[in-house]
Amino acid sequence: MSVQHSSAALAPLRFLTAGSVDDGKSTLIGRLLLDSRALLADQLDAVAHGSDPSLLAQLTDGLQAEREQGITIDVAYRYFATPRRKFIMADAPGHEQYTRNMVTAAAGSDCALVLVDATRLAGGARQPPRLAAQTRRHALLAHLLRVRSLVFVVNKLDAVDRPREVFDSVRAALLDFARDAGIEPAAVLPISALRGDNVVEASRAWDWWRGPTLLQLLENLPAGEAAAEGSLLLPVQYVARAHDAAGQPQRVLWGRLARGGVGEGDLVRVHPGGHAARVVEVWRAGARAGQCRTSESAGLVLDRQLDISRGDWIVDATAEPFAANEFEATLAWLDNEPAVPGRKYWLRHGHAWVAARIIEVQSRLDIDSLRCGSCEALAANDIGQVRVQAQAALPLTGYADNRVGGAMILVDAHSHRTSAALLVSRAVAPGAGGGAGAATQGDRAG
């Protein structure tokens, strides 16, 4: 696999480590910090120069329960830099019961490193390696969440005989799975996080590997959102009170552009309400900017006073308005209580909260066969297709078209636990029955 290059290659890269339990995720981050010289003197003494893998892992496992059990529970963030780039690393847990934490980390990442323990797959030379359920699940979730680059990292090759043969076998299994799942991995790399082979420095023992080291790959992967083409889509996060040059009070509507751009003089429309107004000032980082584009935080001043608050949306007034309170979505169920139709939840879309309920569970994805089958409820860690009805109409887009306009979470109305991540497949227009004639925004969530 060739390294992907991008004009944004020097922008900070957010990446997470994912995969099954004990595949070496925390140890890999510890190795990256150690070999890139991103540790303080007392931390260097604590890890004994990397001779003990459990000590390397403890650089990210900060909770007492994590250290006692030798597992990762919460997402741990660490930062380091090389002369070429800055990095923000997220160490995600591998246990099934903490899948929600992995989803949280993946939602804001540019790259997912899915680790695979070669020692678990090296036995049975005549049988193709069988990937762990969490390896499949985490790769599928990263793909569904549109993490821009997915890299399979085959770890612990220092602990197997014939590492080249084992790597080739595991690599073939990973590529077969990726092909069946519709995933295009950025690379498949061999490493030893414990020994440091092919992490920051090339392995002296593996003269058969001619590809990049993990760090070289990370330094060249694209960062940030791919270009979000389309009309203006701005979720209002905060309304600030300010004064204009003449000392008159004014309201500044702040938010991060999810799509399109906005400039002074543009005609915009507010959802809900549908009122139109013209933009008279655009602010960015405390200074008047004139215009802003996708992924930038902007403050807008309108030419008329409208009732706008956190949770509202500002859209291009010239675009055809579309809002719906019923939609179909890919759902990643994260709660211990099953997802059953009819139960009330709180739904968050952008910065807005509305009541909602699942009205139909359409199918469930089998992560082994990658086939969808019918079911009546979804259990913890299941991925499925559902139909949802919200109490109020929302300006929806397909998640495949826009990560902000098509992403939601469900929160249990009684326990207040985050129950699911929702990725809109298609929004059903009022009065449509959901069949082929339904008006939609976006066709797929993946």
Side-chain angles (χ1 to χ4, degrees), residues 409-435:
I409 61 170
L410 284 183
V411 176
D412 189 282
H414 301 287
S415 67
H416 304 295
R417 292 191 301 264
T418 300
S419 296
L422 279 172
L423 314 176
V424 175
S425 303
R426 61 182 209 146
V428 182

Side-chain angles (χ1 to χ4, degrees), residues 154-167:
V154 183
N155 190 24
K156 304 187 182 181
L157 286 170
D158 60 303
V160 300
D161 297 328
R162 302 183 302 278
R164 181 176 185 175
E165 295 179 19
V166 172
F167 171 72

Side-chain angles (χ1 to χ4, degrees), residues 328-329 360-364 373-375 385-387:
E328 295 176 354
E360 181 186 3
V361 176
Q362 298 172 320
S363 64
R364 171 186 171 274
S374 60
C375 66
Q385 287 291 128
V386 297
R387 191 179 178 100

Side-chain angles (χ1 to χ4, degrees), residues 134-418:
Q134 280 296 80
T135 301
R136 291 170 167 265
R137 182 177 289 110
H138 282 193
L140 287 169
L141 286 171
H143 175 60
L144 289 172
L145 290 165
R146 288 182 62 213
V147 176
R148 197 166 179 183
S149 300
L150 192 148
V151 178
F152 289 112
V153 182
V154 183
N155 190 24
K156 304 187 182 181
L157 286 170
D158 60 303
V160 300
D161 297 328
R162 302 183 302 278
R164 181 176 185 175
E165 295 179 19
V166 172
F167 171 72
D168 288 343
S169 177
V170 175
R171 179 178 180 273
L174 289 167
L175 292 179
D176 286 344
F177 161 72
R179 183 189 64 250
D180 293 340
I183 299 172
E184 295 184 7
V188 183
L189 295 181
I191 70 160
S192 166
L194 171 61
R195 203 167 64 184
D197 291 313
N198 210 43
V199 178
V200 173
E201 301 292 339
S203 172
R204 297 180 179 179
W206 300 344
D207 55 3
W208 47 269
W209 176 250
R210 301 298 183 186
T213 65
L214 177 59
L215 184 60
Q216 288 172 341
L217 180 74
L218 293 174
E219 286 181 329
N220 289 283
L221 288 176
E225 286 283 340
E229 300 295 336
S231 60
L232 172 66
L233 187 64
L234 173 66
V236 177
Q237 181 178 5
Y238 178 67
V239 180
R241 299 178 63 183
H243 293 84
D244 60 17
Q248 297 298 315
Q250 64 180 13
R251 300 167 77 232
V252 185
L253 313 174
W254 286 96
R256 188 179 183 187
L257 273 70
R259 186 182 64 195
V262 62
E264 294 177 358
D266 289 353
L267 190 65
V268 298
R269 192 178 304 278
V270 179
H271 176 89
H275 301 290
R278 197 166 295 277
V279 178
V280 295
E281 293 181 13
V282 177
W283 291 77
R284 182 179 62 232
R288 194 163 172 176
Q291 62 181 5
C292 286
R293 60 181 186 272
T294 303
S295 297
E296 293 183 332
S297 294
L300 307 185
V301 179
L302 305 182
D303 66 348
R304 54 184 297 209
Q305 294 294 327
L306 296 174
D307 182 11
I308 302 173
S309 59
R310 176 182 171 90
D312 292 348
W313 293 76
I314 297 176
V315 300
D316 188 341
T318 63
E320 182 179 355
F322 185 91
N325 66 344
E326 195 169 309
F327 58 92
E328 295 176 354
T330 299
L331 177 147
W333 192 252
L334 308 173
D335 206 343
N336 294 326
E337 296 291 330
V340 293
R343 188 171 183 178
K344 178 182 175 181
Y345 297 94
W346 285 108
L347 182 151
R348 177 172 174 172
H349 179 235
H351 303 291
W353 290 92
V354 300
R357 62 191 181 97
I358 298 172
I359 59 177
E360 181 186 3
V361 176
Q362 298 172 320
S363 64
R364 171 186 171 274
L365 177 67
D366 186 313
I367 62 173
D368 291 318
S369 67
L370 298 178
R371 295 179 179 177
C372 292
S374 60
C375 66
E376 297 181 354
L378 295 172
N381 299 316
D382 278 348
I383 300 171
Q385 287 291 128
V386 297
R387 191 179 178 100
V388 178
Q389 186 180 69
Q391 193 175 52
L394 302 169
L396 302 175
T397 67
Y399 188 81
D401 299 325
N402 188 268
R403 292 176 74 175
V404 179
M408 304 175 179
I409 61 170
L410 284 183
V411 176
D412 189 282
H414 301 287
S415 67
H416 304 295
R417 292 191 301 264
T418 300

